Amino acid sequence: SADPEGIAKIMAPDVDIVEVLTKLSNTYSEEAQQDCAKCFCNLSKLSEHSAQLVKLNAVHAIMMIAMVRAVDTTTKAFCAKAILNLMEEESNRSLILEQGALQMFGTFGIMDNEAMMSICAKVFCVVSGSKLGRRFIMMRVSSMKGFFSLIRSKVRETQLNCARAVLNLLRYDDSMKFSVDHGALTVVRVLTTLEDYSSDVQTLAANGASNNE
């Protein structure tokens, strides 16, 4: 378990932990980058400090590791999980989206790595639940298609998170037509071929499809 006293020192107002980790990650060493990514991931789990991390520009620092410096998928996954953790606090989401995090997840969604696909599907599901999130999803078609492709996962939870997100897009007028035009119903069709998917998702799929016929 985390040491409260140690965490308090790390997150003290006179210590910019994000700046420290940013400097440490500015290296060609994959090991050092992964250590920094793990630190961000661990800190992001502390809900009482998540807003402070976002304000200190942690999202940009994490994305620099994930998109520019790191090569190893495990390092990238730590980064992705850190941003997902920060998104758990609803008040953080608009700032995270404005910094371009969704584009990163759309890109990572095409990786054939089940752990990464699981994280991306969870992000897709969370973001699609709000009007602001749906607007950001529709801003970049390539990212949207990356999210749609997550239905290819062999893990049922990932498939269902992808499906729930797509059905969110189909349920609301602000995103229904655009998502249909770019392949949402293909995801629904794949969903209906999967064995043992939950009845609530099945019902939403039928409603979403019927609304667009």
Side-chain angles (χ1 to χ4, degrees), residues 100-197:
L102 206 60
Q103 181 182 352
M104 182 189 81
F105 287 108
T107 300
F108 285 174
I110 64 175
M111 291 183 177
D112 287 323
N113 179 286
E114 289 289 358
M116 183 68 85
M117 290 163 70
S118 173
I119 295 169
C120 293
K122 289 174 183 176
V123 168
F124 187 25
C125 196
V126 168
V127 174
S128 66
S130 72
K131 184 173 183 178
L132 176 66
R134 292 189 295 276
R135 180 166 63 82
F136 272 95
I137 289 171
M138 292 185 293
M139 283 173 64
R140 189 174 290 269
V141 172
S142 59
S143 296
M144 176 186 276
K145 290 184 175 180
F147 285 127
F148 287 172
S149 75
L150 293 167
I151 197 66
R152 76 189 187 282
S153 171
K154 300 296 188 293
V155 178
R156 184 169 181 272
E157 181 186 8
T158 302
Q159 293 171 339
L160 290 178
N161 277 328
C162 175
R164 291 186 184 106
V166 170
L167 295 170
N168 280 339
L169 296 176
L170 292 173
R171 288 171 61 198
Y172 295 98
D173 291 341
D174 59 1
S175 55
M176 182 176 62
K177 185 180 185 304
F178 189 88
S179 59
V180 168
D181 288 346
H182 292 89
L185 290 184
T186 300
V187 177
V188 176
R189 293 187 190 101
V190 173
L191 173 66
T192 60
T193 68
L194 302 177
E195 294 182 2
D196 191 33
Y197 58 93

